[in-house]
Amino acid sequence: MLKLRDNEYSNKTVYGIESEPLRYIWAGYFIFVILSSLIGDTTILIAAVKYKAFKLQRIIVVIIQHIAVCDLMVSVSYILPICVSVMANGLVLGNFLCYLSSYFGFYLNLASAFLICNITTSKLLLLKYPLRFGTTTLRRAHLSCLACWFAA
């Protein structure tokens, strides 16, 4: 296993980036991912909460909101530190945030997978039991999403 000290950190050893132009391409890609995530997810949240623009079942809209929040958390806690370290060509945010970022990335990706499974299962139950499951309250929808967050 490769162990690096603070003074030995380099994107060349951790990310395998050896050339400057390739590092700039990756930094541009990460910036694009962060900006598109921020713009897209905030648009979804504003449209769903403020304007009630989605004409879908309540449970589906609630799960979409939770997926958007999870995606925002992934971009801020996982992709942003990677982008900063690639742009600076070094670990500027410290070891603690580096370790914390990897744990956030694991937890949030698992929560995202559970939320996607939740939306798929909810759609199946809506098709199979439209009268019973179609009247799901907002509280029950949030509780199903909370179960996904805790299961992760």
Side-chain angles (χ1 to χ4, degrees), residues 59-74:
I59 189 165
I60 302 298
V61 174
V62 168
I63 298 171
I64 288 172
Q65 290 171 0
H66 280 269
I67 291 173
V69 168
C70 186
D71 189 40
L72 278 172
M73 291 171 68
V74 165

Side-chain angles (χ1 to χ4, degrees), residues 39-40 56 60 74 78 86 89 95 98 101 115 124 128 144 150:
I39 292 169
L56 299 170
I60 302 298
V74 165
Y78 184 67
V86 166
N89 200 21
N95 283 338
C98 179
S101 173
L115 287 168
L124 174 70
K128 192 165 180 160
S144 73
F150 280 137

Side-chain angles (χ1 to χ4, degrees), residues 36-48:
S36 63
S37 174
L38 290 175
I39 292 169
D41 292 331
T42 53
T43 303
I44 288 172
L45 288 173
I46 289 171

Side-chain angles (χ1 to χ4, degrees), residues 120-130 133-134:
T120 305
T121 306
S122 298
K123 286 181 180 181
L124 174 70
L125 290 173
L126 279 168
L127 286 174
K128 192 165 180 160
Y129 308 108
F133 201 71

Side-chain angles (χ1 to χ4, degrees), residues 24-45:
Y24 292 138
I25 290 171
W26 275 106
Y29 169 73
F30 286 132
I31 289 172
F32 172 74
V33 167
I34 290 169
L35 287 177
S36 63
S37 174
L38 290 175
I39 292 169
D41 292 331
T42 53
T43 303
I44 288 172
L45 288 173

